[in-house]
């Protein structure tokens, strides 16, 4: 029985470790998205300082293409909205994994207690 419990414990710890790794990836993704929002906010702020007749260029591949100021602002606003939506989805995934992590921690604690009880109740063996 102790061997089966140890194997179960090993599987649970491995699953917990994988969830932790997934959580770290999501947190990194969220941080990158926040950086993108900040960068786009700064671009929007800079575009706001320009005169209405200012020339704005957008880099597409190796070429600089002239773009209307209003269109550029609109594109940046849409990009910010999209990124914020991605942040919201990422937050939802993070909360989901946090809940699963708490459940896994509880399962691991129960298994650990079972193993300790089994070890305390087993006769001592000498090698």
């Amino acid at each position: 029985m102790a061997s089966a419990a140890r194997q179960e414990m090993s599987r649970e710890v491995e699953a917990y470790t994988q969830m932790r790794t997934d959580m770290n990836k999501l947190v990194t993704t969220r941080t990158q998205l926040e950086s993108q929002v900040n960068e786009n906010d700064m671009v929007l702020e800079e575009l706001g300082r320009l005169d209405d007749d200012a020339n704005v260029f957008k880099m597409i591949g190796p070429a600089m293409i002239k773009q209307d100021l209003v269109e550029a602002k609109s594109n940046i606003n849409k990009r910010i909205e999209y990124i914020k939506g991605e942040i919201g989805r990422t937050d939802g995934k993070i909360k989901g994994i946090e809940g699963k992590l708490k459940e896994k921690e509880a399962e691991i604690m129960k298994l650990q207690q079972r193993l300790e009880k089994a070890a305390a109740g087993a006769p001592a063996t000498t090698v």
Side-chain angles (χ1 to χ4, degrees), residues 17-54:
T17 303
Q18 181 60 46
M19 279 193 263
R20 252 313 181 199
T21 301
D22 293 344
M23 173 76 131
N24 289 339
K25 287 178 185 177
L26 286 171
V27 169
T28 300
T29 299
R30 190 187 191 294
T31 302
Q32 290 171 344
L33 291 169
E34 282 291 335
S35 293
Q36 289 177 3
V37 167
N38 290 336
E39 288 173 10
N40 281 287
D41 281 338
M42 286 190 297
V43 169
L44 196 58
E45 184 180 324
E46 289 298 318
L47 289 176
R49 294 179 181 169
L50 296 176
D51 294 331
D52 290 338
D53 60 343

Side-chain angles (χ1 to χ4, degrees), residues 29 33 81-91 93:
T29 299
L33 291 169
E81 284 180 39
Y82 174 78
I83 295 169
K84 286 182 178 180
E86 287 297 310
I87 289 172
R89 284 187 280 284
T90 303
D91 285 344
K93 290 178 184 178

Side-chain angles (χ1 to χ4, degrees), residues 49-98:
R49 294 179 181 169
L50 296 176
D51 294 331
D52 290 338
D53 60 343
N55 290 327
V56 177
F57 293 88
K58 178 178 182 178
M59 182 173 271
I60 299 178
M64 296 289 284
I65 307 298
K66 191 172 182 178
Q67 192 175 31
D68 182 51
L69 180 61
V70 174
E71 182 182 350
K73 287 179 182 180
S74 174
N75 288 343
I76 298 294
N77 280 322
K78 288 177 187 174
R79 191 176 306 139
I80 290 170
E81 284 180 39
Y82 174 78
I83 295 169
K84 286 182 178 180
E86 287 297 310
I87 289 172
R89 284 187 280 284
T90 303
D91 285 344
K93 290 178 184 178
I94 288 172
K95 286 180 183 177
I97 289 180
E98 284 175 343

Side-chain angles (χ1 to χ4, degrees), residues 92-110:
K93 290 178 184 178
I94 288 172
K95 286 180 183 177
I97 289 180
E98 284 175 343
K100 290 177 183 177
L101 282 170
K102 287 180 183 177
E103 291 172 10
K104 243 348 145 187
E105 287 171 2
E107 289 176 34
I108 290 171
M109 292 294 281
K110 288 178 185 176

Side-chain angles (χ1 to χ4, degrees), residues 1-12 111-112 114-115 118:
M1 176 176 154
S3 177
R6 282 191 194 108
Q7 287 176 348
E8 186 178 353
M9 176 73 134
S10 177
R11 282 191 303 271
E12 293 296 329
L111 283 170
Q112 191 172 7
R114 267 189 15 212
L115 283 171

